[in-house]
């Protein structure tokens, strides 16, 4: 299914922060956000639909309005590795705008997802109108760099079992809708890739946590039954 374009710019305000940022992209626009929404193109994607592919040319930035997406990259060995999950309020595709114009990752919708597209023209208009936009973009890039550095340090210095539980804890936060169990709709190999290990290695601590009643492993999903116990395992 190809992402469809809607004529209107209606939708709920974004409230989820990106990394260490204080709010989503539209939050910084304050009372002006509805006016800018009308200029953005809304796109809708079905579950498992690719929003854009790694390496393709891109001239738009996506602001996630609803849903969650999986960020994946191709390794030097040719394998596809999951990096992170992004949700409402977060920005994807910004590196194609500030870099050489090519997408640096593949983005796939994990559930029905809607994005608001900013073309180069709209983004330039925003930047010239509101200096906070440039500041946000700089903070966004710095936040993602800091996140990548932290993940690398974990791979180098944190035991693999602890890394797996830390990744699952972050994913539980990303998928938390206020209900327990928290359903993390990712495969074990995706969680393993985020933890810098292989599925077989990640499966052992996950199975042990399942036996302890902390989580339940399903097909293409993990249900977190006890978030507090999971945080303790990740320490």
């Amino acid at each position: 299914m190809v992402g469809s374009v809607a004529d209107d710019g209606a939708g709920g305000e974004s409230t989820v922060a990106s990394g260490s940022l204080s709010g989503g992209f539209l939050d910084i626009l304050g009372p002006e956000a509805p006016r800018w929404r009308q200029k953005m193109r809304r796109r809708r994607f079905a579950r498992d639909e690719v929003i854009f592919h790694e390496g393709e040319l891109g001239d738009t930035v996506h602001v996630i309005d609803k849903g969650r997406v999986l960020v994946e990259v191709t390794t030097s060995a040719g394998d596809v590795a999951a990096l992170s999950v992004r949700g409402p309020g977060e920005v994807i595709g910004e590196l194609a705008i500030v870099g050489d114009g090519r997408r640096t990752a593949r983005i796939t919708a994990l559930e029905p997802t809607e994005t608001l597209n900013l073309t180069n023209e709209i983004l330039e208009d925003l930047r010239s109108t509101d200096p906070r936009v440039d500041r946000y973009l700089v903070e966004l890039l710095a936040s993602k760099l800091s996140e990548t550095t932290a993940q690398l340090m974990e791979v180098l210095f944190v035991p693999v079992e602890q890394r797996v539980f830390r990744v699952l804890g972050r994913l539980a936060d990303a998928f938390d809708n206020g209900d327990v169990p928290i359903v993390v709709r990712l495969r074990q190999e995706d969680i393993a890739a985020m933890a810098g290990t292989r599925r077989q290695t990640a499966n052992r601590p996950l199975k042990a946590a399942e036996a302890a009643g902390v989580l339940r492993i399903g097909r293409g999903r993990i249900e977190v039954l006890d978030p507090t116990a999971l945080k303790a395992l990740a320490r």
Side-chain angles (χ1 to χ4, degrees), residues 139-174:
E139 290 177 356
L140 173 65
L141 295 174
S143 176
K144 290 188 176 181
L145 177 59
S146 176
E147 180 182 301
T148 300
T149 302
Q151 289 174 340
L152 176 60
M153 295 299 288
E154 282 190 358
V155 169
L156 291 174
F157 299 110
V158 176
V160 63
E161 294 85 359
Q162 194 175 358
R163 295 203 310 265
V164 170
F165 291 132
R166 286 186 179 185
V167 166
L168 186 56
R170 290 194 291 266
L171 290 171
D173 289 340

Side-chain angles (χ1 to χ4, degrees), residues 43-223:
R43 298 192 65 189
R44 295 184 172 91
F45 301 89
R47 180 181 176 183
D48 296 329
E49 183 178 357
V50 175
I51 296 176
F52 53 76
H53 291 273
E54 182 179 4
E56 71 181 22
L57 290 172
D59 59 357
T60 59
V61 172
H62 293 251
V63 180
I64 303 172
D65 200 40
K66 299 176 183 177
R68 298 176 180 87
V69 304
L70 178 65
V71 182
E72 299 173 295
V73 296
T74 304
T75 69
S76 58
D79 300 320
V80 176
L83 284 185
S84 62
V85 170
R86 303 293 177 188
E90 297 195 80
V91 174
I92 52 176
E94 75 286 347
L95 289 180
I97 298 297
V98 301
D100 65 0
R102 294 195 177 274
R103 302 298 191 188
T104 59
R106 182 175 74 184
I107 307 293
T108 305
L110 291 171
E111 57 196 41
T113 296
E114 297 183 17
T115 69
L116 297 171
N117 284 16
L118 287 84
T119 62
N120 266 322
E121 292 75 15
I122 294 176
L123 190 56
E124 286 301 316
D125 195 7
L126 266 170
R127 293 174 64 189
S128 63
T129 302
D130 192 332
R132 292 175 298 178
V133 173
D134 269 346
R135 186 164 61 249
Y136 179 91
L137 292 174
V138 171
E139 290 177 356
L140 173 65
L141 295 174
S143 176
K144 290 188 176 181
L145 177 59
S146 176
E147 180 182 301
T148 300
T149 302
Q151 289 174 340
L152 176 60
M153 295 299 288
E154 282 190 358
V155 169
L156 291 174
F157 299 110
V158 176
V160 63
E161 294 85 359
Q162 194 175 358
R163 295 203 310 265
V164 170
F165 291 132
R166 286 186 179 185
V167 166
L168 186 56
R170 290 194 291 266
L171 290 171
D173 289 340
F175 280 92
D176 188 1
N177 290 323
D179 300 320
V180 175
I182 301 171
V183 181
V184 176
R185 295 183 181 84
L186 286 180
R187 304 169 302 170
Q188 286 190 56
E189 47 261 51
D190 294 327
I191 294 171
M194 292 180 193
T197 188
R198 296 186 176 275
R199 182 187 185 282
Q200 294 87 341
T201 304
N203 181 257
R204 290 195 291 271
L206 291 175
K207 281 290 188 182
E210 183 177 42
V214 178
L215 53 87
R216 181 164 53 236
I217 301 173
R219 185 174 181 179
R221 59 194 273 164
I222 292 180
E223 298 178 14

Side-chain angles (χ1 to χ4, degrees), residues 3-60:
S4 59
V5 178
D7 293 330
D8 66 302
E13 290 300 317
S14 303
T15 58
V16 177
S18 173
S20 62
L21 299 178
S22 59
F25 180 79
L26 292 177
D27 293 332
I28 67 171
L29 302 178
E32 293 295 305
R35 180 171 69 87
W36 285 104
R37 273 181 176 274
Q38 296 297 324
K39 297 185 178 185
M40 300 176 193
R41 184 175 64 171
R42 180 176 294 272
R43 298 192 65 189
R44 295 184 172 91
F45 301 89
R47 180 181 176 183
D48 296 329
E49 183 178 357
V50 175
I51 296 176
F52 53 76
H53 291 273
E54 182 179 4
E56 71 181 22
L57 290 172
D59 59 357
T60 59

